[in-house]
Amino acid sequence: MALAALNSATNYAPAASAAPLLHTPAGPTTLNDPRPLLGSVTYDNDINDCVENNVVALTYDDGPYMYTGQLLDILKSYGFKATFFMTGNNMHKGPIDETEPYPTLIRRMVAEGHQVASHTWSHYSLSNIPSDARKQQMVKNERAIANIIGRYPTYMRPPYSQCDQASGCQADMKALGYHRVYFDLDTQDYLNPNTIQNSKDVVKQILGTAGASDYLSIQHDIVQQSVANLTYYYFDLIKAKGWKGVTAGECLNDAPANWLHRDFHFDLDAQQSDYYQQGEQHVLQDDVYCEDIDNYIQDVEHDLYNYVQKLDYNTKKQYVFHIQDLYRYPERCGGRCSANAYIGTCIVRSRWHVPLQTLGAVIALLGYFLGHAHGGRQFAPNIHASFATILMLLLLVQVLFGIYLKLHLEKRSQNTIHVRIRRYFVFTHSVIGKVMPVVSWVQMLFGGITALGFCRDDHLGQCLAHFIMGSAFIGYGIVMTILLLVGQAWLQRTGRSQEFFDSLLIAAWGCVNTFTEHRWGGPWVRNDLQHTSMGIVWWCAGLLGLWLSRKRDGRPKRNLIPGMVILITGWAMSAHPQSLELSTHVHTVFGYTLMAAGAARIIEIAFVLRDKRSVDEEGKGDEANSWQYLTPFLLYASGLLFMGATEEQMALLSNAQIHVSHVSYILILYSIAFLLFLFVAMLLNLYAAHAWPINQPPTAKTVESGLPNGAPPRANGHIDRRMRDAEEFELEGLMSDDDDDEGKSGKEREGVKHSQST
């Protein structure tokens, strides 16, 4: 193709040349890599402005260049972060992965919390070249960046702001997994390399515009006066407004883990990867590498396997060896687990996993055989005995799967079948592990019911309703505790608010209640109408809660609907007519407790959190307010009160020889709720402490953080933002501890797309 055609755009930008186009970075192409669309930021539409308030997204095009190091110094002195839209080989600077100081500068960008993004390989207008050439412009830059940091970007800015739909450019960028980022504040530094005062006037005028709440700006770190002169003036204006400079990803409320794709080739060609070439010492010392391997095995193994099937035999053999070899690294990394682990994952990967699971299995088996072999009290055939057999079968499958996974046959055998099926074994083992606490709780309830002879004949329906609904309240409280202490990362990764899932569950439960509380076609008996009407309220409110749980731009939004549903349900249950006085008192306190849980939730969201995701100043979930513990505890208490208020239990207590008042009975149930809350909190603290041990030896990173003696942040369930937040775990260890917090939540604002950019 003619160079003139490639350079048809003549906007203010460095011209492309033929030599860079012909050069290809060392290493395998990324063209056929899997391209998941990460996060919730649009891949279909052009991005012209931010969604966060009181921020300026600082972006720099065309670098790295000779002035980039000075710019990084300035950014650090102001505590600002920026996005660098980099060209790979332009302006005769040489390939960025082969020419110093560019690899060092790019590593520094990542290490200091900045965002690395793509501005193509050699700055051609993407709308004016064929699709194949366009893709090569992107994948060559990917290969060069991945050779330096082991990943490549998901954000790009088209040179000359030219990437239209008609040429197929927009479709190509989405297929490659790229957000197309433009701007709504053009500093025009490229127009004024020698008259930078003009650019100062531009930013002063725009930042002084009334009513604006954010900007996505563009500068160029190839313009000396822009770096050395305009930057100080610009940053001072931003600070004077009380705003701060952030990355494009931060201003779009996109988690850092979504800013970069994994490089599927990062270890096969380690000799060509600056970042990974330090070998064994690097593997043992760098948490980032360990976490990459850990997450790589868990999330990418299947996609990688499908990918390598397309390769030739010899290359495929290298990949199979590579996959098998990966399983050594978590052990050699000291058994550390990644910060994005779900509940139980860290314990699974710790050295205590097998001993604890073995001990638990032995105790369960002993209980099973003793329960059938003892010569004491005999029971008629019952559900507790029948369910015990099912439980033992689940336990046996779990143990066998665990043994298979522990053997790591994928490492010992050259047969790829073990690599192919391992992910299914891991998934099944994980699912059974999460199901076991639930079915064990059910078996405990069956045991109590069987021992006391409850839930028989006409009492069955009412008994089941109490135990199922009570368990649901307790389960809801446990889930809320998990989300409060260690689950904010998962919530952020889903891109939805907690109220979305609460409302979804409420709506589903309401539909079930609407059609099951009354035997349709039969007569309406006592409390049928009340139970059915509560079901109707639940699904109606649940639908509204779902609608209100997202903003117009698709970002998560808090709402009060689930709290209102809990409060209304509590009010209805407090007035539930009962035949026994004791039962009336217990149901009344149950209703009041549930009302208190709903009111506490409403106060928490509206006044404690003020619609933020968590209580800390920037909404990052590092701290929990003491008020936030109130709602889950009250749900525990509500569930126990409701489970303890069946007709048979009330009759048993009312007829007891020793007078049992409703006060003493309720206090006992509240005591059990306190112990249950303590047990759950202790388990979650164990999880959090293992994810970031208190006695972890000091490292260079923790020493630099300024903490006493290099000690890590406290492990009370609110671990350091980057470590605890799964969405940011991918950059942990590369980012410094002086990162700024993310910007405050902002509202959607219409942006004005400029037509000129580099």
Side-chain angles (χ1 to χ4, degrees), residues 180-194:
R180 304 186 306 277
V181 180
Y182 293 93
F183 48 88
D184 62 357
L185 193 163
D186 187 354
T187 64
Q188 300 183 19
D189 57 346
Y190 50 86
L191 292 173
N192 301 287
N194 300 314

Side-chain angles (χ1 to χ4, degrees), residues 22 205 281 309 315 449 736:
L22 300 177
Q205 178 184 356
Q281 183 178 5
Q309 300 311 305
T315 308
I449 290 170
S736 65

